[in-house]
Amino acid sequence: MTLWTRAQQLPPECLQKVRMIYVDHFPIEVRHCLASWIESRIWTAEPEDQQRSFVNELVQEIQTNADLMLSPDMFVTKMKLLEAAKNFHMQYSHAPQELYAYMRRCLALEMEVIQNAMGTPYVAQPHTERKYSELITGLQTVRQKVNIAGEEIRSLQANIESLSLQYHECLKNKGHMNYLQQQTVTTERRDLVACLRGQIEDTERKLNALVAQITQSQMELVDHMKENITNLRQLQSQVLDDELIKWKREQQLSGNGVPMQSNLNTIQEWCELLADLIWTTRQQVNNVARINSKTIVELRQPHLAEMLDDMSKQVTGLLSTLVTSTFVIEKQPPQVMKTNTRFTATVRLLVGGQLNVYMTPPRVSVVIISEQQAQLLLKSDTQAGKGKQPVECGDILNNTGTMEYQPTSRQLSVSFRNMQLRKIKRAEKKGTESVMDEKLTLLFQSQFNVGGGELVFQVWTLSLPVVVIVHGNQEPHGWATVTWDNAFSPPGRVPFAVPDKVTWGQLAETLSLKFISATGGSLSEDNLRFLAEKIFRTSLPLNTMELNAMAVSWTQFCKDALPERNFTFWEWFYMVVKVTRDYLRTLWCDRLIMGFIQKKQAEDMLSKCPPGTFLLRFSDSELGGITIAWTGDGNEVFSLQPFTSRDLMLRSLADRVFDLTQLQFLYPNVPKDDVFSKYYTKPENEMLKNGYVKPVLVTTLPPYMSSSPAYAHSPDSHRNTPSVNSRYMIDLI
């Protein structure tokens, strides 16, 4: 993501600070239109000898970008760019280093505003920026060649018109000469015939030379247009098959918490340039075909007509691919979808503005189909002819909308804000499959008219796989299916094939991303080893590379129950993430929760510590539970009955730590008030408005817990060490 892209995402007050950096001295329009080029040149300081050419190259780049602005709504911006290029040339031609240094200061100030606003450093990606710069350069090069082809077509047409005039003049002279030869021969007529013969011979020589020139020009023009089509195909492949597919993959991984790097607005700019160049090239090919068909019979070349027809099909195919591929889901529907619950989605056509598709506002419809129907749809689309309409497997309310065009952003899109899945028809289950294993998808369909109805494109796109649930208790398993699919779906797969086994290294990375995106805090290597021990249920190799290479199956991940438990590994992890996200985020990020540690290991650690030492760990037996383990008198270790979301909703974990005077030091030896005090709830001393005194819940240990461990007993006879129930007392302020 470019620095400028990050700047555009800032809040209004911060964006205003960025705007103030770019005043008349360096117009913000130049910064916006040349963002990638400027950053690719400025990030790394160049030697002075390279800086000398900076102004000339900047001016050339501005003029090239201005030449690409053909639409009327870009006229003002185009004029500002050209004026800026003129001013740069006048003011800095003699001192290019000054402009270069000024631009570096501007980018430094811009970066400072972004870092202060977002709280995270911005790291430039030179390779990515260079690649984007090369892509823009490639598009601009093709633009120049397309413009040259346009000039060649105009020259060809002028030559053919000149040939036609001279040809008909020659025919006229031949007719006149034949007429004179049939008349009585006189000296005057004989001289006139000789004169006409000379003119005819001279004209024929010129015509032959012009025919040769036209023939050569036609072949050169065809070669140039072929080259342009080849270059456009390569650039389109780079944009669609690399950058757009990369964006879609990033969008899928973002469902697992991976930050998005690619920017859809940047991709749209490239697609719009492609659309303009492809449409212009298509018109050029058709113009040459028309010129060839209307020229004199003697000059028509059948093989040229065949070549032009083939080229027209190729360039129309490029346009078709561009339109159908850039119909994308900008905002995906929820991947775990509950029936009778409102949900949203947004689809967008990246070339809708450039091709004026909005002149006939397209309607988009949405249906939900099964995995099998998605496979059939994809198969029929790759074969000749249009397949049957897929069979719906559910009923969606508010599933149609009209795409709208926003001139300022040049975006053609439609947002479905009130869709609702009313009912679902399930597929037959195989073996141990459950409804939460079943993957469905939303099919978005539309029809686009291009060129005033000259071309009509039927388009469709599929959402990421969704799992439909009818009850909240199905949510964890639904997210297991979605998480596995998002993380491990191979590129170009048949919908929605995923591997049954992956390496622990791959799964560990996915779990880490899920955890940090939900809680804001990362997982350590020790945390991940703990999770590996839980899922493998066996001793693990000490070598990290060997551990990461071990295979984990889908069944181990979310089907098989953990030993002596009635829940799976994923259900346990999911509930840990949920309770941490909702109630423990700040404590986890402050590293006050040890969390992922086995009960026996916690006991061994605490037994060597002074009485009152405690730690916080996630319960192995209670889903979404967190327990406090502490050292009592005589170095006996106790564990408090785990607190769940229901408990933490009533009183925070920090306040519970405060309540229990038995807890003195956070492991290994940190006084608890030193680290927990900032999270304590401050007491309220004022009465409520209705005159009542507000009671406060306070956590206490039961009476049998005294300073002597002899009085302590465990309510769970199967546990190795005492597990103590806590209770509430109500104090008055």
Side-chain angles (χ1 to χ4, degrees):
M1 184 184 295
T2 63
L3 182 69
W4 186 244
T5 301
R6 290 279 295 270
Q8 293 175 77
Q9 298 171 357
L10 292 173
E13 62 276 9
C14 297
L15 186 56
Q16 182 61 27
K17 294 179 182 178
V18 174
R19 289 174 60 87
M20 295 303 295
I21 297 172
Y22 300 97
V23 287
D24 294 339
H25 193 57
F26 195 98
I28 198 169
E29 289 83 4
V30 176
R31 176 69 180 98
H32 177 72
C33 295
L34 274 68
S36 296
W37 185 88
I38 289 173
E39 293 178 34
S40 66
R41 288 295 304 270
I42 299 296
W43 280 128
T44 304
E46 295 181 352
E48 284 197 10
D49 58 336
Q50 293 184 26
Q51 293 180 26
R52 292 193 191 103
S53 61
F54 179 70
V55 173
N56 291 335
E57 292 178 13
L58 176 63
V59 169
Q60 179 62 43
E61 195 71 19
I62 292 174
Q63 291 173 340
T64 302
N65 275 267
D67 291 342
L68 298 177
M69 296 178 180
L70 303 177
S71 59
D73 55 352
M74 299 296 288
F75 177 76
V76 175
T77 302
K78 181 176 182 177
M79 291 298 100
K80 287 185 177 180
L81 289 181
L82 293 174
E83 183 180 358
K86 180 181 177 182
N87 291 337
F88 288 148
H89 181 72
M90 291 174 59
Q91 295 179 23
Y92 293 105
S93 291
H94 63 287
Q97 292 89 348
E98 289 184 16
L99 181 60
Y100 188 87
Y102 174 77
M103 278 306 303
R104 284 183 64 82
R105 289 196 297 273
C106 288
L107 262 64
L109 291 171
E110 194 177 312
M111 191 186 307
E112 184 178 339
V113 173
I114 291 173
Q115 290 176 348
N116 290 338
M118 297 188 172
T120 55
Y122 176 81
V123 180
Q125 299 174 321
H127 174 73
T128 302
E129 305 303 337
R130 195 180 311 115
K131 182 176 63 174
Y132 289 174
S133 180
E134 290 172 357
L135 180 57
I136 290 294
T137 301
L139 288 167
Q140 292 169 348
T141 301
V142 175
R143 159 67 68 193
Q144 294 171 354
K145 291 183 177 180
V146 168
N147 290 340
I148 291 172
E151 293 294 333
E152 291 176 347
I153 291 172
R154 285 187 284 273
S155 176
L156 173 65
Q157 187 162 11
N159 286 338
I160 289 178
E161 289 173 354
S162 175
L163 175 70
S164 180
L165 290 174
Q166 294 182 49
Y167 177 76
H168 286 95
E169 184 66 25
C170 185
L171 289 179
K172 179 182 175 182
N173 287 339
K174 283 184 177 180
H176 191 193
M177 186 181 69
N178 290 336
Y179 171 77
L180 292 175
Q181 288 176 337
Q182 293 173 5
Q183 302 301 314
T184 306
V185 178
T186 64
T187 302
E188 182 180 356
R189 286 176 180 168
R190 187 167 46 249
D191 293 342
L192 184 57
V193 167
C195 179
L196 287 173
R197 182 175 289 109
Q199 290 179 1
I200 291 171
E201 290 175 353
D202 183 58
T203 302
E204 285 181 341
R205 282 194 298 271
K206 292 180 179 178
L207 284 174
N208 289 332
L210 193 53
V211 166
Q213 181 184 344
I214 289 174
T215 302
Q216 183 178 356
S217 297
Q218 285 177 323
M219 298 314 298
E220 288 178 352
L221 175 59
V222 168
D223 288 341
H224 291 164
M225 290 193 297
K226 278 184 178 179
E227 181 184 357
N228 290 343
I229 293 173
T230 299
N231 291 335
L232 285 170
R233 182 179 292 108
Q234 293 172 348
L235 289 167
Q236 179 164 292
S237 175
Q238 189 176 347
V239 173
L240 300 183
D241 299 339
D242 295 342
E243 301 304 326
L244 187 58
I245 292 297
K246 176 186 172 185
W247 177 85
K248 289 181 177 180
R249 180 59 180 152
E250 287 182 2
Q251 186 187 50
Q252 184 177 22
L253 289 173
S254 69
N256 285 358
V258 181
M260 291 281 289
Q261 297 294 329
S262 301
N263 186 279
L264 193 59
N265 292 336
T266 301
I267 296 174
Q268 174 171 313
E269 291 176 10
W270 300 334
C271 292
E272 287 178 332
L273 286 172
L274 280 170
D276 180 49
L277 293 173
I278 291 172
W279 182 257
T280 302
T281 301
R282 183 176 181 274
Q283 289 179 313
Q284 289 178 347
V285 171
N286 292 341
N287 282 342
V288 175
R290 178 182 53 80
I291 292 170
N292 184 59
S293 66
K294 289 188 176 182
T295 191
I296 56 179
V297 177
E298 290 80 359
L299 276 179
R300 293 178 191 172
Q301 302 181 44
H303 70 283
L304 179 61
E306 294 174 4
M307 292 170 62
L308 291 170
D309 183 58
D310 182 61
M311 290 165 62
S312 179
K313 290 178 181 177
Q314 289 183 43
V315 77
T316 302
L318 285 179
L319 188 65
S320 175
T321 300
L322 183 64
V323 172
T324 55
S325 299
T326 55
F327 182 56
V328 298
I329 304 174
E330 182 177 11
K331 180 185 177 184
Q332 290 282 342
Q335 288 190 264
V336 176
M337 186 180 296
K338 191 176 180 182
T339 54
N340 298 308
T341 303
R342 187 178 72 90
F343 67 93
T344 63
T346 301
V347 292
R348 177 170 158 189
L349 180 64
L350 302 183
V351 295
Q354 187 64 44
L355 295 177
N356 296 326
V357 173
Y358 59 89
M359 300 299 289
T360 307
R363 287 189 63 78
V364 181
S365 62
V366 190
V367 296
I368 189 167
I369 61 175
S370 66
E371 183 175 341
Q372 182 183 18
Q373 288 295 314
Q375 294 172 3
L376 292 174
L377 180 67
L378 195 65
K379 184 177 180 181
S380 65
D381 191 61
T382 56
Q383 296 174 347
K386 189 171 183 278
K388 296 181 180 179
Q389 186 69 12
V391 178
E392 302 175 31
C393 61
D395 181 19
I396 300 178
L397 290 181
N398 304 315
N399 66 330
T400 59
T402 302
M403 301 190 83
E404 298 179 355
Y405 182 65
Q406 302 296 331
T408 53
S409 61
R410 297 182 56 81
Q411 292 182 10
L412 181 68
S413 63
V414 56
S415 293
F416 297 88
R417 296 183 177 88
N418 294 291
M419 287 193 289
Q420 190 176 110
L421 180 61
R422 295 302 302 272
K423 61 181 180 180
I424 190 68
K425 181 181 178 182
R426 302 286 188 182
E428 293 184 7
K429 301 295 174 290
K430 301 176 183 178
T432 59
E433 286 184 352
S434 71
V435 294
M436 287 80 74
D437 294 325
E438 182 181 7
K439 289 182 277 191
L440 303 104
T441 181
L442 268 61
L443 170 64
F444 294 80
Q445 301 176 92
S446 188
Q447 175 178 295
F448 299 143
N449 295 325
V450 176
E454 180 182 346
L455 297 173
V456 179
F457 299 107
Q458 303 287 339
V459 300
W460 58 267
T461 188
L462 295 174
S463 74
L464 293 174
V466 300
V467 174
V468 175
I469 62 174
V470 297
H471 194 278
N473 61 12
Q474 296 174 321
E475 190 172 297
H477 193 121
W479 275 112
T481 301
V482 166
T483 300
W484 190 276
D485 189 278
N486 286 345
F488 309 124
S489 56
R493 64 170 172 175
V494 175
F496 293 106
V498 288
D500 182 61
K501 291 184 179 181
V502 297
T503 65
W504 168 250
Q506 292 173 302
L507 183 58
E509 181 183 8
T510 298
L511 297 177
S512 294
L513 291 167
K514 290 288 287 187
F515 198 90
I516 194 172
S517 67
T519 68
S522 59
L523 295 177
S524 67
E525 288 298 322
D526 288 340
N527 297 153
L528 293 173
R529 176 166 281 273
F530 171 88
L531 294 174
E533 291 171 352
K534 185 172 282 291
I535 199 170
F536 286 117
R537 311 163 196 182
T538 184
S539 58
L540 300 175
L542 294 176
N543 185 287
T544 303
M545 291 183 63
E546 292 180 18
L547 171 60
N548 287 341
M550 292 178 65
V552 185
S553 69
W554 164 251
T555 301
Q556 288 173 294
F557 177 65
C558 73
K559 289 289 188 178
D560 292 344
L562 294 173
E564 301 180 13
R565 302 286 181 247
N566 60 354
F567 49 80
T568 65
F569 168 84
W570 169 257
E571 288 172 326
W572 180 86
F573 179 79
Y574 178 86
M575 294 305 293
V576 164
V577 172
K578 192 171 186 295
V579 73
T580 306
R581 178 196 66 197
D582 295 343
Y583 300 103
L584 308 173
R585 176 191 289 262
T586 53
L587 299 182
W588 175 264
C589 292
D590 220 6
R591 296 301 180 189
L592 303 183
I593 298 174
M594 191 167 291
F596 298 99
I597 181 173
Q598 294 179 357
K599 184 176 184 180
K600 181 68 169 62
Q601 185 181 357
E603 291 169 354
D604 292 342
M605 291 163 55
L606 289 171
S607 64
K608 301 179 179 66
C609 296
T613 306
F614 70 98
L615 60 79
L616 308 173
R617 56 175 290 271
F618 297 120
S619 171
D620 288 315
S621 58
E622 187 85 25
L623 282 177
I626 186 166
T627 184
I628 303 174
W630 80 96
T631 307
D633 295 338
N635 284 51
E636 186 169 3
V637 179
F638 300 92
S639 290
L640 207 59
Q641 180 174 307
F643 300 112
T644 62
S645 296
R646 186 179 303 173
D647 303 309
L648 300 174
M649 187 186 303
L650 298 174
R651 188 158 178 81
S652 73
L653 185 59
D655 286 341
R656 294 176 185 277
V657 170
F658 171 77
D659 293 340
L660 298 171
T661 58
Q662 293 85 348
L663 310 181
Q664 296 296 318
F665 304 100
L666 180 66
Y667 182 88
N669 55 5
V670 182
K672 72 174 183 181
D673 289 343
D674 288 358
V675 289
F676 282 95
S677 59
K678 61 182 176 181
Y679 299 115
Y680 296 157
T681 302
K682 295 180 180 179
E684 299 179 10
N685 296 322
E686 298 180 1
M687 287 189 178
L688 299 177
K689 290 181 179 180
N690 56 13
Y692 289 107
V693 177
K694 184 178 180 180
V696 176
L697 296 174
V698 178
T699 307
T700 64
L701 294 180
Y704 64 78
M705 290 297 297
S706 67
S707 59
S708 173
Y711 293 96
H713 65 277
S714 172
D716 185 350
S717 59
H718 297 288
R719 304 200 182 191
N720 297 326
T721 59
S723 177
V724 181
N725 285 294
S726 62
R727 63 176 184 172
Y728 296 133
M729 291 183 64
I730 300 180
D731 288 354
L732 297 180
I733 295 177

